[in-house]
């Protein structure tokens, strides 16, 4: 197949602004090229991918899109230049590709789909956040059945207007060989993610204080005002927090691997939570809220603990029980459940189904 992946327009690949979708685009391109498919990625200017020499990277100029999670449900539609330029590019080159794959969480690509001659698959990377996008997705499900992909069932079920059987649930996968198993952690906990209100860093800070443990924080500083508030909380609570910045995967996995546990404390329905499988791959148990993607990943009592959303005391109690979790079991689960190969198979099959028009409405 010849595939054109249209990346998220919220920032360049490698910047961290796109969150987990960056790793999704990158890993998908890698696994598909190794199977002999031709893969082009169109992404905002200054994008970087750890290229295996096979991926064609097309840099698209223009301003970045504002992340949907920072906006209200009824926000008027605003289109940044990078997004419209990406779709203009796709329109011009579409005849060179068998399939276009959209990774933008935005109204425009859904709206444009019927105007394309080359079929368009949409991988939706977040749960429902906007009325305009919900409607665009529901419309696409009716007009182009079988073309919607999601990470998890919990994520798909947030789109009330689109029946769950209209979604291909594809999960996620990582290259386990890029993550080293670590059997000798320090006493520090880890929190990994974009520093933005929906990610709930403050809960992890409070839980670490209650548990009397240091916390290492890794991730893109997306919302400076929120970070100031968290820093104030850190000072007030005399928390031992070490902000390590946004690290490339190779460095991130080294530090993450040395953690006692990863805390996943989102205040929204997390579509997946790639950081949870990255942690498991290093042998790090995951303590997460029992909702959204992380609740589908963590097996409470086996690969970590699931606690009631927002319950910081329960988080602290789970931290105290962390040595009941076998780190080898965490690594084993990542290896068997989230391999790049199995994930690549699912995407490949989905793409072939779209191309052969076999999907039923
Ligand atoms: N990440 C990274 N370096 C860091 C912190 C995070 O590369 O220092 C990446 C992490 O590997 C993951 C993404 O940021 O791919 C976060 O994705 P996740 O699905 O957990 O959440 P999202 O940001 O998509 O809501």
């Amino acid at each position: 197949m010849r595939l054109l992946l249209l990346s998220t327009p919220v920032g360049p690949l490698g910047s961290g602004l796109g969150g987990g979708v960056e790793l999704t685009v990158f890993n998908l391109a890698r696994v598909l090229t190794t199977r002999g498919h031709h893969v082009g990625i169109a992404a905002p200017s200054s994008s970087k991918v750890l290229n295996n020499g096979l991926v064609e990277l097309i840099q698209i100029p223009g301003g970045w899109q504002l992340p949907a999670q920072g906006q209200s449900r009824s926000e008027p539609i605003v289109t940044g230049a990078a997004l419209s330029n990406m779709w203009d590019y796709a329109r011009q080159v579409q005849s060179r590709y068998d399939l276009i794959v959209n990774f933008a969480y935005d109204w425009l690509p859904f709206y444009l789909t019927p105007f394309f001659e080359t079929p368009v698959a949409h991988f939706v990377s977040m749960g429902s956040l906007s009325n305009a996008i919900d409607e665009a997705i529901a419309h696409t499900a009716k007009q182009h059945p079988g073309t919607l992909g999601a990470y998890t069932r919990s994520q798909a079920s947030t789109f009330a207007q689109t029946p769950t059987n209209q979604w291909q649930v594809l999960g996620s996968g990582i290259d386990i060989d890029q993550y080293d198993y670590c059997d000798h952690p320090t006493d520090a906990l880890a929190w990994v993610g974009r520093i933005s209100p929906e990610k709930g860093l403050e809960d992890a800070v409070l839980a670490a204080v209650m548990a009397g443990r240091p916390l290492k924080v890794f991730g893109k500083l997306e919302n400076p005002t929120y970070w100031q508030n968290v820093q104030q909380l850190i000072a007030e609570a005399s928390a031992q927090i070490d902000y390590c910045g946004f690290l490339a995967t190779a460095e991130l996995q080294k530090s993450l691997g040395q953690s006692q546990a990863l805390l996943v404390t989102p205040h929204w329905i997390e579509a997946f939570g790639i950081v949870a499988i990255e942690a498991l791959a290093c042998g790090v148990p995951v303590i997460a809220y029992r909702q959204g993607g992380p609740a589908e990943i963590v097996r409470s009592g086996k690969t970590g603990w699931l606690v009631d959303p927002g319950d910081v005391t329960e988080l602290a109690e789970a931290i105290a029980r962390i040595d009941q979790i076998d780190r080898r079991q965490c690594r084993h689960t990542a290896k068997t459940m989230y391999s790049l190969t199995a994930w690549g198979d699912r995407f490949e099959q989905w793409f072939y189904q779209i191309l052969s028009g076999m999907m039923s409405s």
Side-chain angles (χ1 to χ4, degrees):
M1 281 181 283
R2 293 184 64 82
L3 302 154
L4 178 61
L5 313 186
L6 294 185
S7 184
T8 170
V10 301
L13 279 173
S15 69
L17 289 167
V21 76
E22 293 186 24
L23 198 58
T24 300
V25 169
F26 168 62
N27 280 340
L28 186 64
R30 279 217 352 212
V31 69
L32 293 172
T33 48
T34 55
R35 289 163 186 218
H37 301 297
H38 174 86
V39 179
I41 304 177
S45 295
S46 311
S47 281
K48 292 186 203 85
V49 286
L50 264 182
N51 211 324
N52 57 3
L54 299 170
V55 179
E56 175 201 7
L57 180 63
I58 304 113
Q59 309 268 359
I60 306 283
W64 307 331
Q65 206 68 355
L66 289 172
Q69 65 271 24
Q71 299 174 53
S72 77
R73 294 197 64 85
S74 52
E75 200 85 3
I77 292 159
V78 181
T79 302
L83 177 66
S84 40
N85 289 345
M86 277 157 78
W87 284 85
D88 192 31
Y89 173 80
R91 184 184 55 78
Q92 290 172 46
V93 299
Q94 59 177 315
S95 62
R96 294 190 219 152
Y97 295 92
D98 300 313
L99 183 68
I100 293 168
V101 189
N102 167 41
F103 288 89
Y105 187 91
D106 204 285
W107 162 90
L108 186 69
F110 296 98
Y111 175 77
L112 290 176
T113 297
F115 301 103
F116 274 72
E117 275 159 29
T118 299
V120 182
H122 297 271
F123 184 77
V124 178
S125 62
M126 292 188 275
S128 164
L129 292 169
S130 135
N131 297 338
I133 300 177
D134 284 12
E135 278 165 32
I137 288 176
H139 187 73
T140 303
K142 285 199 191 95
Q143 301 299 313
H144 305 277
T147 62
L148 296 176
Y151 283 118
T152 57
R153 283 187 302 281
S154 338
Q155 175 204 357
S157 66
T158 64
F159 295 94
Q161 299 174 43
T162 303
T164 42
N165 65 5
Q166 289 295 320
W167 294 92
Q168 292 288 309
V169 175
L170 297 149
S172 191
I174 51 173
D175 180 356
I176 301 289
D177 295 341
Q178 293 202 336
Y179 298 81
D180 301 320
Y181 173 64
C182 174
D183 210 5
H184 302 290
T186 65
D187 68 341
L189 303 163
W191 186 94
V192 184
R194 286 174 296 104
I195 299 183
S196 185
E198 71 277 8
K199 300 301 245 179
L201 172 57
E202 64 270 39
D203 294 7
V205 169
L206 291 173
V209 172
M210 282 174 90
R213 304 256 194 164
L215 176 71
K216 288 193 169 204
V217 174
F218 305 88
K220 185 80 187 173
L221 209 174
E222 186 177 296
N223 185 323
T225 312
Y226 171 69
W227 178 228
Q228 267 174 12
N229 295 341
V230 174
Q231 276 179 308
Q232 203 176 332
L233 175 74
I234 292 170
E236 281 164 14
S238 307
Q240 290 175 262
I241 309 293
D242 183 8
Y243 174 48
C244 308
F246 177 77
L247 305 183
T249 303
E251 282 80 50
L252 174 67
Q253 69 86 25
K254 255 187 236 158
S255 299
L256 176 59
Q258 291 166 5
S259 317
Q260 282 284 335
L262 174 75
L263 304 182
V264 183
T265 51
H267 288 182
W268 69 347
I269 303 289
E270 187 81 39
F272 188 81
I274 297 185
V275 296
I277 58 173
E278 295 185 272
L280 295 179
C282 301
V284 176
V286 178
I287 300 173
Y289 288 149
R290 194 182 293 106
Q291 70 179 4
E296 292 185 30
I297 299 167
V298 177
R299 295 184 190 162
S300 203
K302 284 232 156 67
T303 58
W305 300 105
L306 290 173
V307 308
D308 281 346
D311 193 330
V312 172
T313 309
E314 249 202 276
L315 279 175
E317 284 164 7
I319 295 167
R321 281 181 282 138
I322 205 62
D323 50 9
Q324 293 177 24
I325 306 295
D326 179 359
R327 293 174 76 92
R328 281 164 307 183
Q329 176 66 47
C330 296
R331 168 85 180 180
H332 177 73
T333 301
K335 213 170 172 170
T336 49
M337 304 271 298
Y338 300 103
S339 83
L340 211 48
T341 314
W343 183 62
D345 286 346
R346 292 196 290 277
F347 262 91
E348 209 176 22
Q349 211 179 352
W350 178 41
F351 293 160
Y352 279 131
Q353 279 175 339
I354 294 172
L355 294 183
S356 63
M358 278 165 53
M359 304 297 292
S360 56
S361 51

